[in-house]
C-alpha cells in the first residue's frame, strides 16, 4: 500500500542525492529508507531509480512520480492545516436574487453581512426568477430568493423560508385612467398592459390571476423593473408593480396607484436552498435574509424624500 512516509522518503532521496543523506535527514536507518523506496516501487509498479549509478538518479518513471509526490504531500499538508488554522477557511455560497431585492434591501444586507461574516464569500447573481430557479435546480446556485414557485415546495431536498409578502397594485401615469374609484378590473382591459416577460415568476402569477378575472395577458413587456416603471411613467400603459416600493417615488414620477375591485393578491418571496452537508450554513444565511428583507424601500431613496411623500 502506498503511504505518505514512502513519498516523503522518495522526495528526500531525490533532493539530497543519496539514500545515506536521506536517512540522516529523516533520522532513520539507511535500510529503512531502502525498504520504503522498495515498497513504493512495488505499490506503484514503477522503477523509480537507476541503481546502476552511484548516486540516486531518477528514471523517466521516477521523474513523473516526483511531480505527483510533491503535489500529494502538499495536499496532505493543506488537509492537516485545516484544523490548525480554521480562521482561513472561506465558505463560498452562490446566491441568486431578482431585481426587486437588488433595488431595495440587498445592497444594505451585503454591506453588513460582508463585515460580520468575512469567512463567507457570497457570489451574487441577479436575474429573472425563472432563470434563477432553473440554475438552482441545475446545482449552479446554492440559494435563491424568488417569488413562490409551487413545484419547489414538493421537491425533495429543497428547503423554503418565507421572507415577505409583497403587496402589488396597478399603476398608471396620473390622468391616464379615468372613471370612478375603485376601478373594476374589467374596466382596465381597454388600456395597454405592461408586464415583465415569461421568465418572471411574479409576472406569471399575476397574469394567471388576471386570466381568472377575464383579463387578457400583457401585450408589452420589459424584464427590467426600472424600465417597467419608466414605461408606465411615460404613459405607455398600466402595470402591476410592487406597491409600497414604487409608491415612495410615485408622486415624483407622476404615477397613480389604481385601487381596483377585486384587489390584487400579494406575492410571497421565498428563500429556497438545498439540504445536505451545508444545511446549517444555508439555514443561518436564510435566517439573516428573513431579518433583512424589506421590499418596500428603494435603497437609493433618501429619508428626506420619504418625508415629502
Amino acid at each position: 500500500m502506498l503511504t505518505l512516509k514512502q513519498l516523503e522518503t522518495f522526495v528526500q532521496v531525490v533532493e539530497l542525492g543519496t539514500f545515506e543523506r536521506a536517512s540522516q535527514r529523516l533520522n532513520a536507518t539507511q535500510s529503512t529508507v531502502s525498504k520504503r523506496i522498495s515498497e513504493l516501487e512495488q505499490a506503484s509498479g514503477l522503477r523509480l531509480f537507476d541503481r546502476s549509478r552511484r548516486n540516486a538518479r531518477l528514471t523517466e518513471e521516477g521523474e513523473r512520480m516526483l511531480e505527483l509526490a510533491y503535489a500529494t504531500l502538499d495536499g496532505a499538508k493543506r488537509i492537516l492545516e485545516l484544523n490548525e488554522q480554521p480562521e482561513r477557511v472561506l465558505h463560498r455560497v452562490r446566491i441568486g436574487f431578482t431585481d426587486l431585492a437588488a433595488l431595495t434591501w440587498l445592497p444594505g444586507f451585503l454591506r453588513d453581512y460582508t463585515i460580520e461574516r468575512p469567512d463567507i464569500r457570497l457570489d451574487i447573481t441577479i436575474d429573472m426568477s425563472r432563470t434563477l430557479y432553473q440554475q438552482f435546480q441545475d446545482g449552479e446556485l446554492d440559494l435563491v430568493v424568488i417569488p413562490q414557485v409551487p413545484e419547489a415546495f414538493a421537491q425533495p431536498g429543497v428547503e423554503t423560508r418565507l421572507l415577505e409578502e409583497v403587496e402589488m397594485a396597478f399603476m398608471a401615469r396620473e390622468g391616464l385612467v379615468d372613471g370612478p374609484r375603485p376601478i373594476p378590473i374589467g374596466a382596465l382591459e381597454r388600456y395597454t398592459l405592461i408586464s415583465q416577460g415569461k421568465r418572471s415568476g411574479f409576472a406569471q402569477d399575476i397574469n394567471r390571476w388576471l386570466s381568472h378575472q377575464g383579463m387578457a395577458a400583457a401585450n408589452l413587456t420589459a424584464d427590467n423593473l426600472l424600465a417597467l416603471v419608466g414605461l408606465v411613467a411615460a404613459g405607455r400603459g398600466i402595470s402591476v408593480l410592487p406597491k409600497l416600493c414604487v409608491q415612495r417615488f410615485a408622486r415624483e414620477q407622476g404615477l397613480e396607484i389604481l385601487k381596483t375591485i377585486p384587489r390584487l393578491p400579494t406575492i410571497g418571496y421565498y428563500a429556497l436552498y438545498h439540504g445536505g452537508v451545508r444545511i446549517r450554513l444555508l439555514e443561518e444565511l436564510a435566517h439573516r435574509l428573513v431579518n433583512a428583507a424589506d421590499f418596500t424601500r428603494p435603497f437609493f431613496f433618501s429619508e428626506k424624500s420619504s418625508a415629502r411623500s
Side-chain angles (χ1 to χ4, degrees):
M1 181 176 64
L2 188 149
T3 67
L4 293 177
K5 279 285 188 184
Q6 295 165 3
L7 292 176
E8 181 185 16
T9 301
F10 170 63
V11 168
Q12 290 297 325
V13 171
V14 173
E15 291 183 346
L16 298 176
T18 67
F19 281 50
E20 181 182 1
R21 292 172 187 162
S23 65
Q24 293 172 356
R25 172 68 64 82
L26 295 169
N27 195 26
T29 64
Q30 191 168 337
S31 61
T32 298
V33 170
S34 297
K35 181 181 178 183
R36 289 176 184 172
I37 297 300
S38 296
E39 289 173 343
L40 180 58
E41 289 181 321
Q42 184 177 359
S44 64
L46 303 174
R47 189 170 67 89
L48 303 176
F49 292 101
D50 182 355
R51 289 178 171 76
S52 65
R53 299 175 180 269
R54 181 179 178 185
N55 290 337
R57 184 69 63 84
L58 286 174
T59 63
E60 289 185 8
E61 292 176 331
E63 294 282 358
R64 294 197 297 270
M65 172 67 82
L66 181 62
E67 183 178 351
L68 294 173
Y70 277 126
T72 302
L73 291 172
D74 183 62
K77 180 182 177 182
R78 290 173 181 272
I79 291 173
L80 295 175
E81 288 175 347
L82 287 176
N83 187 49
E84 297 173 3
Q85 298 177 320
E87 69 278 3
R88 290 190 174 186
V89 177
L90 184 64
H91 301 285
R92 177 187 177 218
V93 181
R94 303 162 300 171
I95 184 168
F97 299 89
T98 63
D99 56 355
L100 180 56
L103 290 171
T104 51
W105 55 272
L106 180 59
F109 168 78
L110 293 177
R111 179 194 61 224
D112 297 339
Y113 195 74
T114 300
I115 295 173
E116 295 172 17
R117 293 300 303 267
D119 59 314
I120 297 179
R121 168 186 159 187
L122 297 180
D123 290 349
I124 306 298
T125 298
I126 308 295
D127 212 322
M128 305 295 287
S129 57
R130 283 289 168 179
T131 301
L132 294 174
Y133 182 62
Q134 185 60 57
Q135 292 176 333
F136 174 75
Q137 285 187 303
D138 294 341
E140 298 173 13
L141 293 174
D142 304 305
L143 185 152
V144 291
V145 173
I146 57 176
Q148 177 179 344
V149 180
E151 58 265 34
F153 288 82
Q155 185 177 335
V158 173
E159 304 292 333
T160 61
R161 184 78 68 88
L162 176 64
L163 269 63
E164 192 171 273
E165 292 282 351
V166 178
E167 187 177 359
M168 312 302 293
F170 272 103
M171 295 192 186
R173 183 172 181 82
E174 289 181 345
L176 178 69
V177 178
D178 53 16
R181 303 295 193 267
I183 307 168
I185 286 289
L188 295 175
E189 202 166 23
R190 58 195 177 98
Y191 299 96
T192 299
L193 178 60
I194 312 172
S195 174
Q196 290 188 322
K198 294 181 179 180
R199 295 186 300 133
S200 166
F202 100 73
Q204 286 192 347
D205 288 344
I206 292 298
N207 288 338
R208 193 177 301 115
W209 184 86
L210 291 176
S211 176
H212 291 159
Q213 308 303 317
M215 193 169 175
N219 43 24
L220 178 59
T221 61
D223 284 345
N224 182 277
L225 185 58
L226 284 180
L228 201 64
V229 174
L231 288 171
V232 175
R236 297 299 303 274
I238 63 175
S239 183
V240 175
L241 297 168
K243 178 181 176 180
L244 296 179
C245 173
V246 178
Q247 179 176 269
R248 292 184 180 274
F249 56 95
R251 187 175 302 170
E252 294 180 3
Q253 298 299 320
L255 299 180
E256 177 188 4
I257 296 174
L258 306 176
K259 295 182 179 180
T260 61
I261 302 174
R263 294 174 59 182
L264 286 158
T266 60
I267 300 294
Y269 275 76
Y270 288 79
L272 275 60
Y273 53 96
H274 295 289
V277 295
R278 307 180 76 197
I279 183 68
R280 291 184 62 184
L281 172 62
L282 296 177
E283 279 183 336
E284 186 272 339
L285 178 56
H287 178 71
R288 294 294 303 276
L289 292 172
V290 170
N291 292 334
D294 179 2
F295 292 91
T296 68
R297 181 183 295 278
F299 77 88
F300 50 82
F301 197 76
S302 68
E303 292 296 332
K304 186 176 180 181
S305 298
S306 179
R308 289 201 305 268
S309 62

